[in-house]
Amino acid sequence: MQVTKNIYNVGVNDREVDLFEGQYIVPNGMAYNSYLIIDEKIALLDTVAQGFYNEWLKNIKDVLGDKKVDFLIVQHMEPDHSYNVMNFLKENPQTKVVASSKAFIMMKNFFGEDFLDRQVVVGENSTLSLGERTITFVTAPMVHWPEVIMTYDAKDQVVFSADGFGKFGALDTDEEWACEARRYYFGIVGKYGAPVQTLLKKIGGLPIKTICPLHGPVLTENLGYYINLYNVWSSYQSEVDGTFIAYTSVYGNTKKVAMLLKDELEKRGEKVAISDLARDDMAECVEDAFKYSKLVLATTTYNGDIFPFMKTFIDALVERNYQNKKVGFIENGSWAPVAYKKMQAMLEKSKNLTFMEQVVTILSACSKDNLEQISNLADQLLNK
Ligand code: FEO
């Protein structure tokens, strides 16, 4: 796939992967992009995942014919991109390897070999001349691993952004970019908002016509839209003024109260999303918790603690630096309800959360008192 006159995507689509990175469902598969920059010298940016070596080599050959690759640029060592580094270098002894010093250490760990006689070690603002163009490297530690570099081609004004601006889904999938890019971002990079902010500042001053991520489509139009979303996500701002209700329910009583709160909020004109943490995709729930400005957690007391899916959910938020939200609680407990206290304690580590004073405490099933509590909670969430 041609990106510019001299840049091609020679990556592959993976329709077989069951769980990306061992945990994320990807109903529309994954794309592992890999790019060729053709000049007097030829640079290949990143390889592809296990199982796609021959398809990838064919894509390269379709573009290059018998020409050889001078530089293999390894921007990121996670195996969805680096799996075939060793295979490629074994078969292409003329190719030099361009990567950060940390990436070479990882190569030794992954492959037992760090290609000492073929290394080109690059760091912040290092350059590499390919002939007509000189490309520049930008370090991007923790976006998404510490060794990551990104690459800028000033001639075509292209940023090769490694995992940045990536999304779930194969390239032949017709779906909204933001939904699967957000789920990908908060799942995989969400913890690292500060490094993403640093990166956005570094690339902010560059003229950019095209963003070439290692997953998902090449971005060529309306780049401000994508960059702005990355800024919102990485600075932990909310994208939507509204409430996300996340619940677990064993026999339907907690769900009923969660649904009643949804109705109360909607009556007041609030935008509301609701998910069952046991049945809906956890990564989608995490994404929604960051997307909306308010969060309500509803769960049962269970083994003197909280229901397992809620525990997993709150852990996922806290470890991703969840912050800057209003949070309400609904708890259920037939004899000794402790869910509210447990949930609040888990969230104490998070910054700038405002907990609503009104807690809805269900003692088995929804009562008249609960109806009043639900109404109060709705008011407090909306500051009425
Ligand atoms: Fe797509 Fe962090 O690897």
Side-chain angles (χ1 to χ4, degrees), residues 20-21 30-32 76-82 143-145 147-148 162-164 184 188-189 214-215:
F20 180 66
E21 290 193 358
M30 248 352 251
Y32 312 120
H76 184 17
M77 274 301 294
E78 194 164 12
D80 50 332
H81 311 291
S82 72
V143 189
H144 137 238
W145 280 14
E147 84 297 1
V148 171
D163 274 341
Y184 174 90
I188 292 169
V189 195
L214 289 178
H215 301 291

Side-chain angles (χ1 to χ4, degrees), residues 28 42 103 136 139 154 158 208 240 258 297 339:
N28 292 320
I42 294 171
T136 307
T139 62
V158 177
I208 301 172
V240 173
L297 301 171

Side-chain angles (χ1 to χ4, degrees), residues 75-322:
Q75 299 188 111
H76 184 17
M77 274 301 294
E78 194 164 12
D80 50 332
H81 311 291
S82 72
Y83 187 85
N84 286 297
V85 165
M86 185 72 168
N87 296 333
F88 187 83
L89 290 175
K90 258 197 223 158
E91 288 180 15
N92 292 272
Q94 80 291 339
T95 304
K96 291 203 160 73
V97 201
V98 182
S100 67
S101 54
K102 283 196 176 85
F104 283 111
I105 293 169
M106 290 183 183
M107 284 182 212
K108 184 102 180 165
N109 294 339
F110 273 108
F111 311 129
E113 159 86 81
D114 61 0
F115 314 103
L116 200 54
D117 54 337
R118 299 157 76 179
Q119 284 186 7
V120 180
V121 182
V122 293
E124 193 73 280
N125 291 325
S126 296
T127 56
L128 180 68
S129 172
L130 298 179
E132 265 190 50
R133 78 194 67 212
T134 295
I135 54 176
T136 307
F137 300 99
V138 176
T139 62
M142 302 321 294
V143 189
H144 137 238
W145 280 14
E147 84 297 1
V148 171
I149 52 169
M150 296 185 185
T151 308
Y152 179 63
D153 171 13
K155 182 164 189 292
D156 286 359
Q157 300 185 349
V158 177
V159 171
F160 297 90
S161 58
D163 274 341
F165 298 94
K167 71 179 268 297
F168 296 126
L171 290 192
D172 50 358
T173 302
D174 183 18
E175 64 188 0
E176 189 207 353
W177 182 86
C179 186
E180 283 297 71
R182 189 189 301 103
R183 189 168 72 95
Y184 174 90
Y185 175 86
F186 282 111
I188 292 169
V189 195
K191 180 179 173 63
Y192 302 109
V196 175
Q197 282 283 303
T198 304
L199 173 72
L200 290 177
K201 286 191 183 86
K202 279 192 216 174
I203 65 170
L206 301 173
I208 301 172
K209 280 192 188 145
T210 306
I211 298 174
C212 290
L214 289 178
H215 301 291
V218 169
L219 306 174
T220 54
E221 284 172 7
N222 200 10
L223 297 186
Y225 167 76
Y226 304 103
I227 292 169
N228 178 55
L229 278 179
Y230 254 62
N231 181 41
V232 169
W233 297 342
S234 58
S235 57
Y236 302 96
Q237 299 169 56
S238 303
E239 233 178 297
V240 173
D241 184 14
T243 302
F244 176 53
I245 304 172
Y247 72 87
T248 68
S249 192
V250 187
Y251 294 106
N253 291 304
T254 311
K255 177 179 179 179
K256 184 178 169 186
V257 172
M259 297 304 285
L260 286 171
L261 176 67
K262 177 176 183 283
D263 293 345
E264 283 296 314
L265 287 166
E266 285 176 342
K267 260 194 245 164
R268 290 158 170 79
E270 178 77 336
K271 187 171 170 47
V272 183
I274 188 162
S275 288
D276 177 343
L277 296 175
R279 291 178 174 81
D280 296 330
D281 173 39
M282 187 61 78
E284 188 88 32
C285 296
V286 169
E287 167 194 348
D288 280 340
F290 281 95
K291 180 177 170 185
Y292 287 85
S293 56
K294 303 162 202 121
L295 172 69
V296 174
L297 301 171
T299 197
T300 44
T301 301
Y302 192 83
N303 285 339
D305 205 324
I306 57 174
F307 206 63
F309 296 95
M310 181 59 81
K311 217 179 200 175
T312 302
F313 179 62
I314 297 175
D315 275 339
L317 298 185
V318 172
E319 74 186 15
R320 287 167 175 75
N321 289 324
Y322 194 65

